[in-house]
């Protein structure tokens, strides 16, 4: 290290420098980076000694930086790379190859990651924290978690960092080297074809917009001013779906120069226009049926476009547009402070014959306060629209700077918008008419058209073209903004669209109640939702969002990622599908441009009550399978997957029903998944087909656990659709995608307890194969060699997975504590929005858990009360029965042992009652009689009560030869004998004895 530093000093000064004791002190990472930056500026030719020293210093700096505890695995890096827009369309094998050579580094706040002017060949993306890019002490941009910078370095378009990258907070970054990326492209031909257009971008494009193909707003600037602006620019590559500019309120603005690519402009969440530059312009102009094509897309003038200039110059206090890349876009970004500094220097030098200079010198406060605004709203004011409706459209007006000679509007185009010139002059011409017949637009005159809203073309009914005579400021009201306002203010639809919604035809109920009723009525017509719980359908209606699409607008595009369902309320729409071969070719392109419906086949039509996108809402399919285009003005209700899943958590029966629907719809994909599974590749095809029949199908919703950590099982789990995360101790150690499997060692009997938990990230369709089913299939179609090979392989992989899971979980736990996070909940690096979402999600999970616990306790309490009540009733019945038996025994004993009236038991209350004989009326001297009865002696029990009547009768009948005294009485006439026995000789009644029997048991 000392010799390298000595060499660097000698090369820098071209003189021999002595080594002193101060140089012997250990250098910090920042000092090493500074010296490496100095060497990079001098390493102009490859292979020189200075470049070798620089590479050595760079490696030392990387090692010093990475020496701070970074517990990030290659699997985690692979998952983060999959979320980067640049690499979203790459295969998992390609990402795994890049992740193996990526080295994460940890920095504290204030550390310099890359100095300005140093050699660079890496793509830097942030795993945690925030990185700032600055130049000359001014911060130009921030790179937060999940974002990246250095795309031009990765593709070899630049070799030197134009900004200084510094850690704004404690952060973890990862860098992908250009050499590693090139090796990966050689190894994976599909990705090489995917990035071929990017690799073909010439180096001259890095100076476009200023030195060559100068943008219109910079025309007339001196060479020195252009050089100063070029020195301040940041070159960026944006990939499809990335946001290049966002709606923003503040003072940190920038001018974006679009050199190459196609972008879409969104206002209020609606796409309002499309702009293309470079080689993409010709392809865009071929599609003339889109109403979003900007009027200034002229094939004759292919100069770079510019965005955000008014915010930088103070003409607008806030930016109300969002710029999104539709293809790979090469852009140059100039910061607000840099633009104003260069403008001020140019004004001092007398370089004022330029639009930027004039705007910088002009006072725009006058424009903001006194300009006549709102002329484009005259039709809506006359229609009686509300003030809130007008203010919403006013906030979402687009104000643009249009240079002289540019086309503002052509009546023959399909663009639907109203325009009004705030400052400058424009003239109107008619195609085929001499230029002398043109006229200038009057002040506040509105031009444009909104045919879908029954607002015809202006300023004339015939064909017309409006062209800027000077540099103009133009305000534009797009039809998409009006439609968005109609979605937010449904009470204004009757005034604008003369549209009477189904709920408006019924009176007497509130709008929300009628919407819920209409929603329920429409879903009852759908076979997919028929038979659902009415409460579930009502909750869906509460989260449904009104959407309006005008004639010709696309409701959804084939191939787009979508997670929502649409219900047609009014209007009609056509359904188109494209050729499968063309769809495969489109997937290999880095583009989100939509295919024209004129190259597609019409396969159906949607009418009111139709439901579209329900499979996407459930997660059965991830992309739209068809393009739906409104054939008339359509009003729809949209239900997103996120809202639907929240409702499904409260309705277990509907969730199970939807799970059955998912399993049924994806059942045809199971054979293909198992036949292509590498795990069973060595087995016979018949074996794999039999396994397809034996395996069970499951559907899991987000955050549902498929397998718990430590659970005992013997199943192999295979993911057919959707991602699932492998968790060890609560930390994600691996992300499984479609085709991934877990638990093969359990199926083979190697292990019993699962080493990690498997949890669904989104809606998942999973297959499970138990050990008994596997052995049955193996018995039918034996494959001993394949089984032995699988057994040997899984023993090794099982041990590796266990070690890797424990190692990654330990690293993450240590890293989590090192970074100062809460020990059990990682909230240190979360932004305010993420922290709010984290707290809300935790609160929701806690309430769901407590509700389930409360319901479980209530159910257990009800069951316990029922058991106690049953036991009490049974015990009381047993006590009554025992008491009755006891009293019966006492009554029998009492009737046998005592004289007097018999005692009986009544059936009603089982109480002992006396039935005394009829007694004469008591005399008046009853007190003396009572006392005499009490003093009367109690007779002794007669010994004859112990006689057994039937025994005596039996003895009399058994003795023969002797005349029995009882036999004549028994052999006489029954009626006479009985009557005689009853009356006796004197005719007196003889009391009957039943010996304790109930009254109903005594025979007459």
């Amino acid at each position: 290290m000392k010799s390298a530093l000595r060499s660097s000093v000698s090369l820098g000064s071209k003189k021999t420098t002595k080594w002193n004791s101060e140089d012997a002190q250990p250098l910090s990472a920042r000092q090493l980076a500074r010296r490496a930056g100095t060497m990079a500026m001098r390493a102009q030719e490859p292979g020189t000694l200075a470049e070798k020293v620089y590479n050595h210093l760079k490696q030392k700096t990387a090692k010093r930086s990475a020496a701070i505890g970074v517990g990030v695995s290659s699997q985690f890096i692979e998952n983060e790379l999959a979320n980067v827009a640049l690499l979203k369309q790459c295969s998992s094998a390609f990402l795994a190859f890049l992740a193996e050579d990526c080295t994460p580094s940890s920095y504290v706040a204030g550390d310099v990651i890359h100095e300005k002017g140093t050699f660079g060949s890496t793509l830097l993306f942030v795993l945690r924290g925030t990185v700032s890019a600055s130049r000359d002490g001014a911060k130009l941009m921030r790179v937060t978690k999940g974002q990246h910078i250095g795309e031009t370095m990765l593709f070899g378009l630049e070799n030197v960092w134009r900004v200084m990258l510094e850690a704004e907070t404690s952060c973890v970054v990862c860098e992908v080297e250009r050499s590693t990326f090139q090796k990966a492209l050689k190894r994976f031909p599909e990705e090489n074809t995917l990035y071929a257009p990017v690799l073909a971008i010439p180096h001259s494009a890095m100076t476009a917009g200023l030195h060559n193909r100068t943008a219109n707003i910079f025309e007339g600037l001196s060479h020195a001013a252009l050089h100063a602006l070029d020195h301040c620019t940041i070159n960026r590559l944006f990939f499809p779906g990335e946001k290049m500019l966002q709606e923003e309120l503040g003072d940190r603005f920038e001018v974006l120069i679009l050199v190459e690519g196609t972008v879409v402009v969104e206002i209020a969440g609606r796409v309002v226009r499309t702009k293309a530059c470079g080689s993409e312009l010709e392809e865009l102009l071929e599609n003339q049926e889109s109403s979003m094509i900007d009027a200034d897309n002229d094939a004759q003038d292919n100069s770079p476009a510019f965005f955000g200039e008014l915010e930088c110059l103070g003409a607008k206090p806030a930016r109300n547009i969002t710029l999104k890349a539709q293809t790979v876009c090469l852009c140059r970004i100039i910061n607000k402070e840099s633009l104003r500094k260069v403008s001020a220097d140019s004004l001092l030098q007398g370089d004022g014959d330029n639009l930027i200079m004039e705007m910088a010198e002009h006072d725009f406060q006058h424009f903001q306060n006194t300009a006549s605004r709102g002329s484009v709203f005259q039709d809506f004011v006359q229609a009686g629209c509300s003030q809130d409706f007008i203010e919403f459209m006013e906030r979402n007006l687009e104000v643009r700077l249009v240079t002289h000679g540019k086309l503002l509007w052509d009546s023959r185009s399909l663009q639907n918008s109203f325009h009004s010139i705030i400052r400058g002059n424009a003239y109107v011409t008619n195609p085929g008419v001499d230029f002398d017949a043109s006229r200038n637009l009057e002040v506040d005159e509105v031009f444009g058209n909104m045919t879908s809203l029954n607002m015809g073309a202006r300023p004339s009914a015939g064909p017309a073209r409006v062209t800027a005579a000077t540099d103009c400021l133009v305000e534009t009201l797009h039809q998409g903004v009006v439609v968005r306002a109609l979605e937010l203010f449904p009470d204004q639809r009757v005034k604008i669209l003369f549209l009477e919604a189904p709920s408006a035809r019924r009176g007497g109920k509130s709008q929300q109640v009628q919407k819920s009723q209409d929603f329920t009525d429409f879903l009852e017509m759908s076979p997919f939702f028929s038979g659902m719980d009415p409460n579930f359908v009502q909750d869906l209606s509460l989260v449904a969002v009104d959407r309006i699409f005008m004639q010709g607008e696309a409701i959804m595009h084939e191939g787009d990622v979508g997670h929502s369902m649409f219900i047609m309320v009014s209007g009609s729409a056509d359904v188109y599908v494209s050729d499968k071969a063309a769809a495969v070719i489109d997937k290999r392109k880095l583009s989100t441009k939509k295919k024209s419906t004129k190259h597609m086949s019409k396969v159906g039509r949607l009418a009111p009550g139709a439901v579209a996108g329900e499979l996407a809402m459930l997660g059965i399919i991830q992309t739209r399978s068809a393009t739906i285009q409104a054939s008339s003005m359509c009003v729809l209700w949209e239900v997103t997957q996120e809202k639907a899943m929240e409702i499904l958590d409260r309705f277990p029966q509907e969730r199970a029903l939807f799970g059955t629907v998912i399993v049924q719809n994806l059942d045809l994909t199971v054979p293909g998944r198992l036949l292509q599974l590498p795990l069973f590749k060595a087995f016979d095809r018949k074996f794999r087909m039999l396994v397809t029949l034996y395996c069970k199908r499951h559907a899991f919703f987000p955050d549902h656990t498929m397998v718990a950590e430590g659970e005992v099982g013997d199943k192999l789990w295979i993911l057919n659709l959707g991602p699932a995360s492998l968790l060890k101790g609560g930390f994600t150690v691996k992300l499984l995608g479609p085709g991934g499997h877990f638990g093969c060692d359990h199926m083979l009997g190697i292990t019993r307890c699962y080493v990690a938990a498997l949890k669904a990230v989104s809606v998942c369709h999973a297959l499970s194969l138990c050990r008994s089913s596997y052995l049955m299939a193996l018995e039918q179609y034996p494959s001993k060699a394949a089984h032995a090979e699988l057994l040997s392989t899984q023993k090794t992989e099982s041990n590796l997975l266990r070690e890797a899971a424990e190692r990654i979980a330990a690293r993450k736990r240590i890293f989590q504590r090192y970074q100062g996070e809460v020990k059990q909940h990682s909230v240190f690096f979360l932004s305010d929005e993420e922290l709010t979402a984290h707290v809300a999600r935790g609160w929701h999970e806690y309430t769901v858990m407590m509700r389930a616990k409360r319901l479980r306790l209530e159910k257990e309490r009800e069951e316990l009360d029922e058991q106690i009540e049953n036991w009490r009733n049974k015990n009381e019945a047993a006590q009554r029965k025992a008491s009755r038996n006891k009293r019966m025994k006492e009554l029998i004993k009492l009737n046998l042992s005592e004289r007097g009236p018999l005692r009986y038991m009544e059936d009603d209350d089982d109480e002992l009652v006396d039935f005394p004989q009829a007694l004469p009326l008591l005399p008046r001297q009853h007190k003396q009689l009572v006392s005499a009865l009490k003093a009367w002696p109690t007779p002794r029990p007669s010994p004859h009560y112990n006689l057994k009547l039937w025994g005596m009768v039996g003895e009399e009948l058994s003795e023969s030869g002797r005349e029995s005294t009882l036999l004549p009485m028994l052999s006489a006439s029954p009626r006479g004998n009985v009557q005689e026995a009853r009356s006796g000789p004197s005719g007196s009644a003889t009391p009957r004895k039943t010996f304790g029997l109930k009254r109903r048991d005594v025979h007459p």
Side-chain angles (χ1 to χ4, degrees), residues 53-111:
V53 175
Y54 160 71
N55 292 332
H56 179 72
L57 291 174
K58 181 181 178 182
Q59 293 176 1
K60 287 291 183 182
T61 305
K63 290 180 180 179
R64 290 278 184 91
S65 302
I68 305 176
V70 180
V72 180
S73 65
S74 60
Q75 182 63 45
F76 177 79
I77 297 175
E78 180 183 345
N79 298 338
E80 293 295 328
L81 287 176
N83 297 324
V84 176
L86 188 153
L87 303 169
K88 274 189 176 180
Q89 298 188 22
C90 298
S91 62
S92 57
F94 183 85
L95 298 178
F97 184 85
L98 293 180
E100 290 178 358
D101 291 338
C102 289
T103 304
S105 305
S106 177
Y107 299 91
V108 297
D111 281 355

Side-chain angles (χ1 to χ4, degrees), residues 209-240:
L210 294 172
H211 288 300
N212 62 79
R213 292 174 55 199
T214 305
N216 295 330
I217 57 173
F218 300 123
E219 289 180 354
L221 283 177
S222 63
H223 181 74
L226 291 175
H227 181 74
L229 285 175
D230 185 74
H231 180 71
C232 298
T233 57
I234 302 176
N235 298 324
R236 294 291 307 274
L237 280 173
F238 293 95
F239 289 80

Side-chain angles (χ1 to χ4, degrees), residues 845-961:
E845 293 175 355
Y846 178 77
T847 54
V848 171
M849 180 185 67
M850 294 303 296
R851 181 175 181 271
K853 182 179 179 180
R854 185 175 66 254
L855 294 176
R856 186 179 70 254
L857 292 177
E858 290 178 357
K859 184 177 180 181
E860 292 177 355
R861 190 179 298 111
E862 291 177 358
E863 293 177 353
L864 182 60
D865 293 343
E866 184 178 358
Q867 292 176 1
I868 293 175
E869 183 66 21
N870 293 337
W871 175 85
R872 188 177 65 84
N873 295 336
K874 186 177 180 180
N875 191 23
E876 291 179 354
Q879 289 180 356
R880 288 195 301 268
K881 183 177 180 180
S883 177
R884 182 176 179 278
N885 294 336
K886 182 179 179 181
R887 288 196 301 270
M888 177 65 73
K889 291 180 180 179
E890 293 177 353
L891 181 60
I892 294 173
K893 182 178 180 181
L894 184 63
N895 289 335
L896 293 175
S897 61
E898 294 184 1
R899 290 184 177 181
L902 295 179
R903 295 173 178 261
Y904 302 95
M905 294 185 64
E906 287 292 337
D907 291 336
D908 296 335
D909 51 1
D910 289 340
E911 293 292 339
L912 294 177
V913 294
D914 293 334
F915 293 93
Q917 295 178 350
L919 296 177
L921 295 176
L922 293 177
R924 295 181 179 179
Q925 298 82 5
H926 62 279
K927 293 182 179 181
Q928 292 82 357
L929 180 61
V930 171
S931 58
L933 291 175
K934 288 182 179 179
W936 195 268
T938 303
R940 292 180 300 172
S942 174
H944 299 287
Y945 280 95
N946 295 327
L947 295 178
K948 295 182 181 179
L949 176 63
W950 299 110
M952 296 174 60
V953 174
E955 291 179 357
E956 291 291 335
L957 294 176
S958 60
E959 293 181 2
S960 58

Side-chain angles (χ1 to χ4, degrees), residues 330-343:
L330 174 61
C331 302
R332 311 196 70 192
I333 302 174
I334 305 176
N335 190 37
K336 175 182 177 179
E337 289 75 13
S338 302
L339 180 63
R340 289 192 170 185
K341 184 177 182 300
V342 173
S343 301

Side-chain angles (χ1 to χ4, degrees), residues 795-809:
K795 284 182 179 179
T796 305
E797 291 185 358
S798 175
N799 295 329
L800 293 177
L801 178 62
R802 179 179 292 101
E803 294 175 0
E806 294 175 353
R807 181 173 63 252
I808 294 172

